[in-house]
Amino acid sequence: MKICVVGMGYIGLPTSSILATHGFEVIGVEINKTIIDSVEKGRTEIQEPGLSIIVKAAVRSRGLKCQETTPDADVFIICVPTPINQDKTADLDYVIQAGNMIAPRIRNGNLIILESTVPPGTTRYVLKPILERSGLSAEKDFYLAHCPERVLPGNLLNELIHNDRIIGGINETSAQMAKKIYETFVEGNIYLTDTDTAEFVKLMENTYRAVNIALANEFALIAEKLDLNIYGAIDLANKHPRVNIPRPGAGVGGHCIPIDPWFIVEKAPDLSKLITTALKINEEMPEHVISLVKDAFDEAGKKINGSKVTILGVAYKSDVNDARETPATPIIKKLTDLGANIAVYDPLVVRFPITIEKDLQKAVFGADAIVIVTDHSELKSLDLTTIRPLMKDNPILIDGRNIFESAEGFIFRSIGRSTTTP
Ligand code: SAJ
């Protein structure tokens, strides 16, 4: 069976490689020529445990190819990004483009699966009419399903295989046909529903996480006001059998948690009060980091204008090389607006608008302040006694990820932590 996967990014490439190593003939379609070149050579820039091995195996066995044009196939899987517009509505351009590419290729009996995260109704009311421009009818001539991806970056391949999956079909046959594809490699359970429900379920999952992180962030701000330590308090609250509060931090990034909940808001703005407030709380965390920086500079008797501030970690979360929607971006912008000279260190990220210093000592040399934005494993074992002598007098440490309980010799601020009690 021949499967065409449109979009060879974070989801498309691992999915294609897994399908290829499970006996399917897979053709990846990609508009980015650099990605085509690297996949054809069996390589990937995406750092995920086990991914480069499986990509290499898929390409070497000739089960996976990558090209710019859309081929004929039995199954088409759409794995394109769905970014957000300025007005916080979903930008469906890539989904529409993928539909337009697939429509001329559709034959009787084909199955089209949308994996991209979309507002409820998109499969049925946006994608289906585009595909029907082929002259064929969904349900009668071809089949259509939504199977939202669910994998956690950093543990992607493992979750691709072991997580349960939700498949929404425009009819029962579509869902059953899609299930046959996924059950070749998914070891979790596969649950079938309709497309609108599957779309909403995916958004509920990421919204649930966004709202819970927002609650943790709000608790952190309250804890600072009450002069207590939020992390110890959360650990104790989480001893309750039905409480599981996530970690507060410098901000919520990535291409899903700060974005996908807006796709629910878009469909029911008047009813999405809690979701909207939660998203705003998360968006304001970088501004809170700036207020901690200002406070620490005041205590040090220094001016931000003309100072050197080193940002440690620009990945959107620990141990990934992905900086999309990273809270580091608004933090750097604000500090630059205040006149600070910024240096950036990240052990993993390569692509970022500002040059990333790969030597930690050089990055912190002569700095007035360091701001920890990402809790990479390497930064969790940072030895402050070797860093402090490299910095200017009265060095400042702002810990946006609760790596340190205190920092001797530094003017220290940490999100959700009292400045007077340890
Ligand atoms: N974060 C916190 N505190 C926490 C956990 C996370 O501030 O306790 C921050 C992270 O630093 C990061 C952001 O939240 O900036 C998002 O990180 P994440 O690990 O929560 O999620 P993602 O974006 O890497 O992956 C999520 C996952 N969704 C859920 O857990 C419900 C994943 O399963 C989805 O497949 C993925 O979104 C997606 O692609 O939709």
Side-chain angles (χ1 to χ4, degrees), residues 149-151 153 202 205-206 209 246-247 253 256 316-317:
E149 60 86 7
R150 273 186 149 177
V151 290
K202 165 70 194 184
E205 291 162 9
N206 280 353
R209 187 132 173 99
R247 312 303 284 173
C256 306
Y316 84 88
K317 69 173 187 177

Side-chain angles (χ1 to χ4, degrees), residues 182-215:
Y182 287 95
E183 69 190 6
T184 59
F185 67 89
V186 170
E187 291 179 18
N189 298 315
I190 298 178
Y191 299 96
L192 305 187
T193 180
D194 59 87
T195 54
D196 293 9
T197 305
E199 290 162 338
F200 193 52
V201 166
K202 165 70 194 184
L203 298 177
M204 287 200 311
E205 291 162 9
N206 280 353
T207 301
Y208 175 85
R209 187 132 173 99
V211 170
N212 277 286
I213 296 172
L215 182 62

